[in-house]
Amino acid sequence: MSALKAMQNRQVKSEIAGVKIDDLVAEFGSPLFVYSERSLRRKFFTIRNAFAIRYPDVAFSWSYKTNHLKAICAIMHSCGAMAELVSKIEYDKAKSLGILENQIILNGPHQPFETLEAAVRDGAIVNVDCLDKIYDLEAIATRIGQVISVGLQLNFDVGIQPKWSRFGFNLESGQAMEAIRRIASGGKLRVNGLHSHINPFIIEPATYTIQVEKIVKFGYQIEAEFGWRMQSINIAGGFPSRSRRKGMYHASEVILPLIDEYADAICDALWANLKPGHTPKLIIESGRAMAEEAGTLITTVCRTKCLPDRTSSYVVNAIDEGISLPPLSRGTRLVISTIGAYNNRQWMQFMASRPNVVLVTETGNLELMREAEYLSDLEC
C-alpha cells in the first residue's frame, strides 16, 4: 500500500458519536459543529477520578469562557462541576441555569459593581485580582454590614516562558503580601482561599508541583501573620488537550503526559507541603481538557486551486491552517476534531454566517444547541 493510500485510510472518519457524517450534513448543513455528550461526561469523570483517589476534598469548576453554550454548561453541572465565571453575562447565565450560589466562582479582571455585589450577597466565591476590586468589595462590605471572605489571585514564576503575569498579584515582587496587608488593614475583608491561573499550554507535570508548593507556602505565611487559614486552593489554567498547537512537531498523543501524571504532581505536592490535619479544598479548573475532544467541525471542500508555486490549495467553508492533506476533490468532507474549547466563543464571522451547533446525546439523539445565523441576525 502506498504512503498516500495509508494516510487516507488512517484518516477517514465516517461518523461522530455513532451518527453518520452524511446524515448530520443532510439535516443540518455544512459547516457544522458537533458535540458528543458521551465524550464530555467520559472526560469529566476521567479527570475527576484521577484526583479523587489521591486527595480527599476535590471540586471541579467548569469555565464558561471555555464554552458557554447552555446545553454544554448544563451537562457539566449535571456531572457535579461548579461554575467558574468571569463576566456579568456568564454570571447571569449560571443563575438562569439554577446554579446554587456556593457553587459559583467569580474570577477575571472586570465585573460591574452590581455583579460583584450580587455575587457577594449570593455567597459566591469571589477571587480578588487587583486593588480596584478590593476597594469595590470593601464598599460592598460596608453596605451589607459584614466582613466578606474572598480569595486572592496570585501570579508567580513557575520556570516557563512566557510568564503569565497579567492575572492577580505577583508573589516574588512582594505585591501579593502587600495586598494581604492592605486587606487586613481595611478590616472589611478576609482571605480564605488562594487562586492561581498559570499558562494553559504547560505540558510538564512538574510545573504544577512548583505551583502548589508556592501557593501552600504563601498560605501559611498569611496564616502566621494574620491567622487566616486557607480553606481552598484553586489550580486554574486547565490541562493540555490533544488539540494541535502551533510549534508542536509531534502528535499530541506522543508528547502529552497522562492525566494521572498531573494528578500525581499536584496531590503529591499537597501532601508534602500541607500541615498535618489541614486539607483545604482543592479546586481544579480544567475546561479545555474536558471540552476540547468532545467537539468536531464538519466542513466541505468548495473549490480547488493551484497556486503559482504549483501547490494545491483548497477552499473550504470553515477555517484552519497548516494541515497536510492528500489530493481532494470538490465536495469532499473534512472533519476537524478536538475543537470543543473556545471555538464557539472566539469564532470569527467572515464571508459567511455562523453555522448550526448540534449535540449528540448519550442516547444518540440529535439536539440543535445553537441555530445558524440568518440575515436578520446580522442587520443593525
Side-chain angles (χ1 to χ4, degrees):
M1 181 184 295
S2 69
L4 176 59
K5 187 66 174 177
M7 181 178 70
Q8 289 175 314
N9 288 344
R10 190 166 60 247
Q11 296 185 346
V12 168
K13 187 171 186 177
S14 61
E15 62 180 40
I16 299 172
V19 182
K20 292 182 178 179
I21 289 173
D22 287 344
D23 293 343
L24 287 164
V25 173
E27 183 170 355
F28 298 102
S30 170
L32 176 66
F33 283 93
V34 183
Y35 285 83
S36 166
E37 179 181 2
R38 183 174 300 163
S39 177
L40 278 169
R41 292 185 182 277
R42 182 175 62 245
K43 196 68 175 183
F44 177 89
F45 288 114
T46 296
I47 297 175
R48 188 203 66 177
N49 293 344
F51 285 86
I53 63 175
R54 291 171 168 85
Y55 191 77
D57 191 1
V58 185
F60 287 83
S61 61
W62 168 246
S63 57
Y64 278 37
K65 62 182 177 292
T66 304
N67 190 317
H68 66 179
L69 290 169
K70 183 177 181 180
I72 300 296
C73 294
I75 289 171
M76 302 311 291
H77 292 316
S78 72
C79 291
M82 303 172 70
E84 191 268 339
L85 316 169
V86 298
S87 64
K88 178 183 185 303
I89 191 169
E90 290 182 359
Y91 190 83
D92 292 343
K93 172 163 277 194
K95 296 289 287 184
S96 72
L97 288 171
I99 306 305
L100 298 176
E101 289 78 5
N102 64 358
Q103 295 297 302
I104 291 177
I105 302 170
L106 194 61
N107 289 322
H110 170 69
Q111 296 87 33
F113 186 91
E114 295 75 16
T115 301
L116 275 179
E117 183 172 6
V120 169
R121 292 183 181 275
D122 287 342
I125 298 172
V126 178
N127 287 321
V128 177
D129 69 308
C130 63
L131 287 174
D132 284 341
K133 191 172 287 187
I134 292 175
Y135 303 149
D136 286 348
L137 288 167
E138 287 179 336
I140 293 169
T142 300
R143 281 193 184 191
I144 65 178
Q146 67 183 53
V147 175
I148 300 172
S149 293
V150 299
L152 192 79
Q153 189 169 30
L154 306 173
N155 70 73
F156 41 74
D157 186 2
V158 290
I160 62 168
Q161 296 292 338
K163 296 178 182 179
W164 271 36
S165 58
R166 52 182 163 169
F167 299 119
F169 298 95
N170 184 256
L171 193 59
E172 285 85 4
S173 69
Q175 187 184 50
M177 185 54 78
E178 290 175 7
I180 291 290
R181 290 175 179 144
R182 169 61 184 80
I183 289 171
S185 68
K188 298 182 184 296
L189 311 177
R190 61 177 290 134
V191 176
N192 66 356
L194 293 175
H195 173 272
S196 169
H197 186 298
I198 60 175
N199 191 317
F201 304 115
I202 293 172
I203 294 177
E204 176 53 55
T207 306
Y208 293 91
T209 299
I210 298 171
Q211 182 187 27
V212 171
E213 289 173 347
K214 290 198 172 188
I215 291 175
V216 172
K217 181 180 179 181
F218 186 62
Y220 285 135
Q221 289 175 349
I222 295 171
E223 182 179 348
E225 188 165 342
F226 302 101
W228 298 338
R229 171 157 278 201
M230 295 302 100
Q231 298 175 15
S232 66
I233 293 175
N234 189 323
I235 306 297
F239 303 118
S241 70
R242 292 194 303 164
S243 60
R244 178 179 55 84
R245 297 282 175 237
K246 290 184 177 180
M248 184 182 289
Y249 296 101
H250 296 287
S252 57
E253 294 85 351
V254 175
I255 65 174
L256 286 186
L258 299 174
I259 187 62
D260 292 277
E261 296 179 63
Y262 295 107
D264 278 337
I266 291 170
C267 296
D268 287 353
L270 286 170
W271 291 121
N273 292 276
L274 290 171
K275 293 180 179 179
H278 181 211
T279 54
K281 181 182 291 294
L282 173 63
I283 301 174
I284 301 288
E285 187 274 286
S286 54
R288 180 187 299 277
M290 289 181 180
E292 195 89 279
E293 296 168 30
T296 302
L297 174 60
I298 301 173
T299 74
T300 303
V301 176
C302 303
R303 300 283 189 276
T304 61
K305 299 175 62 176
C306 183
L307 301 181
D309 63 0
R310 308 303 250 175
T311 300
S312 295
S313 176
Y314 302 102
V315 179
V316 300
N317 54 14
I319 297 174
D320 205 344
E321 61 178 318
I323 301 176
S324 296
L325 297 171
L328 302 175
S329 59
R330 188 175 181 180
T332 300
R333 306 282 186 219
L334 292 179
V335 180
I336 304 173
S337 300
T338 64
I339 51 81
Y342 293 100
N343 285 279
N344 295 128
R345 293 300 306 267
Q346 299 177 351
W347 55 3
M348 181 174 60
Q349 186 186 65
F350 177 67
M351 296 178 65
S353 58
R354 297 180 178 95
N356 287 317
V357 184
V358 173
L359 176 72
V360 181
T361 69
E362 283 194 294
T363 58
N365 293 326
L366 300 178
E367 295 183 2
L368 183 60
M369 293 191 291
R370 188 184 191 279
E371 188 177 7
E373 292 176 332
Y374 298 96
L375 179 61
S376 57
D377 299 307
L378 309 179
E379 292 178 332
C380 297

